[in-house]
């Protein structure tokens, strides 16, 4: 029986060429699976058709937008997930969900091999294959770009020779990955890390330097999940999508960084993630108001480790699952409203309000109405400083 390859299909040049190539090379039938993660751009029906035109025996389109928002973006938000303190993990979050749908398609349609378009130099190959190892270790993997040393030029040449229905003329100089949580732009002139990104690199955000009237938004959270914008109940998908537009219109969430890839390379990355950055800023603020000090301090380390695990492709790993439990528990009281101004490339918190607030006006105030007993502080500070005092005395004795 001919084997069936389930291919993660984006509709772009590389994965389109991969269809006839895999069919020939592996002597197999190719099933294309395209997953809608809110990337926008081309119509998913057109993408589905293209796979068939390139020779796929089946072409599946999965609308995973709400699932991606609720089960991947929201957990990342609750972890305030920023790899290297800056990158909101948009590509890292999408791969484990794509893997899940590849596995489902393989089980339903009799696939025994899974294929993706990643090269051997990036993180995404790791995320695909580490995810597969956890969810369906019995499936084999083939990555044409990596395993058969495909280059872009080779792909274009192959597509032209085969008369494949893909537009190779409009040549995008960048490697782009985008979804609901943001957009990643790599390669081209950005590989010289002294070169500033030009305006045309960006698609989710407007130039923050252009003068315009600020926008104000109130984000409501319930137990760490965003549930309303300006008092209107919405799904997580709708909230992220609307904030992408509103914060994007003010240039919020542009990031230009040199990043440590898992494979050991440092690479220049430009991101734009207006909704993600706005929501993380709001969520961090609400945690500051509602999470007890020691839990909050400990959680910062957990958040960082969670981000590294997810970056490294270990979404379906035991440690990640354990950290999920702590993060979820910490969201118990993260409910309330955060008011923000969107302007000049920044989402700035201007107000916070919560029934679960630990902020106590009578303890914090320097005006009348102060209930904090300052006489207790004197003894506390002496005992708190005692270990330093004793150690300093020894240091003095040692000379
Ligand atoms: N460097 C980022 C990451 O590893 C973005 C990767 C974008 N992927 C792409 N195929 N352009 O998560």
């Amino acid at each position: 029986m001919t084997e069936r390859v389930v291919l993660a299909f984006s509709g772009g040049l590389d994965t389109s060429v991969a269809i006839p190539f895999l069919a020939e090379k592996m002597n197999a039938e190719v099933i294309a699976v395209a997953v809608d993660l809110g990337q926008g751009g081309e119509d998913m029906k057109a993408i589905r058709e293209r796979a068939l035109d390139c020779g796929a025996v089946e072409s599946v389109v999965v609308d995973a937008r709400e699932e991606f928002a609720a089960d991947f973006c929201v957990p990342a938000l609750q972890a305030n997930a920023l790899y290297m303190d800056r990158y909101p993990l948009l590509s890292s979050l999408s791969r484990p969900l794509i893997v899940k749908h590849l596995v489902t398609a393989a089980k339903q349609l009799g696939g025994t091999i899974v294929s993706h378009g990643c090269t051997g130099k990036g993180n995404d190959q790791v995320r695909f294959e580490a995810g597969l190892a956890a969810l369906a270790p019995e499936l084999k993997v083939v990555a044409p770009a990596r395993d058969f040393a495909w280059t872009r030029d080779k792909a274009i040449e192959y597509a032209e020779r085969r008369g494949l229905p893909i537009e190779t003329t409009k040549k995008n100089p960048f490697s782009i990955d985008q979804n609901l949580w943001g957009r990643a732009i790599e390669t081209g002139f950005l590989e010289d890390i002294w070169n500033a990104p030009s305006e045309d690199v960006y698609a989710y955000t407007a130039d923050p330097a252009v003068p315009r009237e600020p926008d104000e938004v109130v984000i409501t959270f319930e137990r760490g999940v965003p549930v309303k914008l300006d008092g209107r109940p919405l799904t997580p998908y709708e909230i992220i999508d609307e904030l992408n537009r509103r914060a994007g219109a003010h240039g919020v969430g542009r990031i230009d960084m040199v990043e440590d890839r898992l494979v050991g390379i440092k690479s220049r990355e430009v991101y734009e993630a207006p909704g993600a950055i706005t929501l993380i800023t709001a969520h961090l603020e609400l945690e500051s108001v509602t999470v007890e000090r020691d839990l909050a301090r400990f959680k910062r380390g957990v958040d960082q480790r969670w981000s590294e695990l997810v970056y490294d492709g270990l979404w379906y790993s035991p440690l990640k699952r354990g950290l999920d439990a702590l993060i979820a528990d910490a969201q118990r009281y993260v409910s309330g409203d955060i008011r923000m101004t969107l302007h000049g490339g920044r989402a700035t918190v201007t107000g916070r309000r919560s029934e679960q607030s630990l902020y106590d006006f009578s303890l914090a105030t320097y005006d009348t109405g102060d209930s904090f007993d300052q006489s207790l502080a004197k003894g506390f500070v002496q005992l708190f400083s005692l270990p330093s005092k004793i150690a300093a005395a020894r240091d003095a004795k040692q000379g």
Side-chain angles (χ1 to χ4, degrees):
M1 215 183 83
T2 27
E3 282 204 281
R4 298 191 126 193
V5 185
V6 178
L7 170 69
F9 185 65
S10 71
L13 171 71
D14 297 299
T15 54
S16 297
V17 172
I19 294 173
F21 179 78
L22 283 168
E24 195 177 284
K25 198 89 185 168
M26 315 290 295
N27 189 24
E29 292 177 340
V30 178
I31 298 162
V33 176
V35 186
D36 187 352
L37 302 168
Q39 56 268 42
E42 217 183 356
D43 181 49
M44 294 306 284
K45 276 199 231 73
I47 291 179
R48 182 177 179 278
E49 284 304 314
R50 182 167 317 120
L52 295 172
D53 293 344
C54 288
V57 293
E58 309 246 15
S59 184
V60 181
V61 166
V62 184
D63 181 355
R65 289 176 296 174
E66 293 285 357
E67 181 184 20
F68 182 55
D71 299 346
F72 292 81
C73 302
V74 169
L77 171 60
Q78 295 180 340
N80 304 306
L82 295 172
Y83 178 67
M84 295 175 77
D85 298 328
R86 279 171 289 173
Y87 165 45
L89 295 179
L90 47 108
S91 300
S92 332
L93 294 174
S94 68
R95 282 4 180 227
L97 178 54
I98 296 171
V99 166
K100 186 185 152 192
H101 287 291
L102 291 175
V103 169
T104 304
K107 298 220 156 116
Q108 276 170 1
L109 302 166
T112 50
I113 306 170
V114 165
S115 183
H116 59 73
C118 306
T119 70
K121 291 179 75 170
N123 298 312
D124 291 327
Q125 57 174 340
V126 184
R127 297 169 184 149
F128 270 114
E129 293 176 33
L132 275 171
L135 296 186
E138 69 282 4
L139 297 175
K140 290 168 278 184
V141 184
V142 58
R146 177 190 65 193
D147 304 343
F148 301 105
W150 272 93
T151 59
R152 212 171 160 77
D153 295 338
K154 260 173 130 183
I156 291 171
E157 198 256 325
Y158 187 93
E160 276 167 359
R161 189 150 40 85
R162 294 295 181 105
L164 293 180
I166 38 188
E167 222 188 302
T168 52
T169 41
K170 99 170 170 277
K171 209 170 168 268
N172 194 322
F174 306 114
S175 165
I176 291 170
D177 186 38
Q178 65 187 53
N179 59 50
L180 180 69
W181 205 233
R183 186 164 174 271
I185 308 104
E186 303 172 315
T187 71
F189 76 94
L190 296 170
E191 283 175 354
D192 179 338
I193 63 177
W194 184 247
N195 283 341
S198 49
E199 263 317 298
D200 64 337
V201 161
Y202 298 104
Y204 283 15
T205 53
D207 185 352
V210 172
R212 52 175 81 82
E213 285 301 303
D215 188 6
E216 189 179 86
V217 64
V218 175
I219 306 173
T220 303
F221 291 86
E222 256 168 43
R223 292 175 171 247
V225 180
V227 293
K228 288 180 190 168
L229 281 187
D230 301 322
R232 287 172 288 122
L234 297 167
T235 66
Y237 173 81
E238 291 166 333
I239 288 177
I240 300 163
D241 186 49
E242 180 170 329
L243 287 176
N244 274 340
R245 275 179 275 116
R246 285 172 64 182
H250 291 274
V252 174
R254 289 187 174 185
I255 300 143
D256 177 356
M257 66 190 285
V258 172
E259 175 180 300
D260 281 311
R261 287 193 188 164
L262 181 59
V263 295
I265 302 170
K266 283 192 188 289
S267 69
R268 166 74 166 298
E269 307 282 334
V270 174
Y271 300 109
E272 41 183 353
I277 294 299
T278 302
L279 282 163
I280 291 171
T281 306
H283 180 262
L284 271 168
E285 187 64 19
L286 190 57
E287 283 195 335
S288 302
V289 174
T290 56
V291 178
E292 180 276 330
R293 181 191 59 187
D294 276 320
L295 177 55
R297 285 183 178 177
F298 191 78
K299 184 172 178 291
R300 277 194 268 284
V302 171
D303 289 349
Q304 189 183 340
R305 192 72 189 94
W306 190 97
S307 305
E308 289 165 355
L309 289 169
V310 171
Y311 184 86
D312 289 349
L314 299 175
W315 181 271
Y316 300 107
S317 70
L319 179 56
K320 149 78 171 45
R321 200 183 313 143
L323 301 186
D324 280 341
L326 184 129
I327 292 167
D329 187 67
Q331 301 307 300
R332 186 186 302 245
Y333 298 114
V334 185
S335 301
D337 298 330
I338 296 293
R339 189 182 59 230
M340 309 180 93
T341 298
L342 309 172
H343 188 58
R346 297 180 64 88
T348 309
V349 175
T350 62
R352 50 303 261 162
R353 162 169 86 182
S354 169
E355 305 257 316
Q356 312 299 342
S357 173
L358 298 175
Y359 176 83
D360 184 333
F361 177 84
S362 71
L363 288 176
T365 186
Y366 284 90
D367 296 338
T368 43
D370 183 1
S371 68
F372 185 89
D373 182 353
Q374 297 204 31
S375 70
L376 294 176
K378 190 170 174 173
F380 165 74
V381 176
Q382 277 175 18
L383 293 187
F384 181 74
S385 324
L386 193 55
S388 299
K389 192 172 172 182
I390 297 169
R394 183 191 54 193
D395 289 348
K397 215 162 56 190
Q398 301 281 318

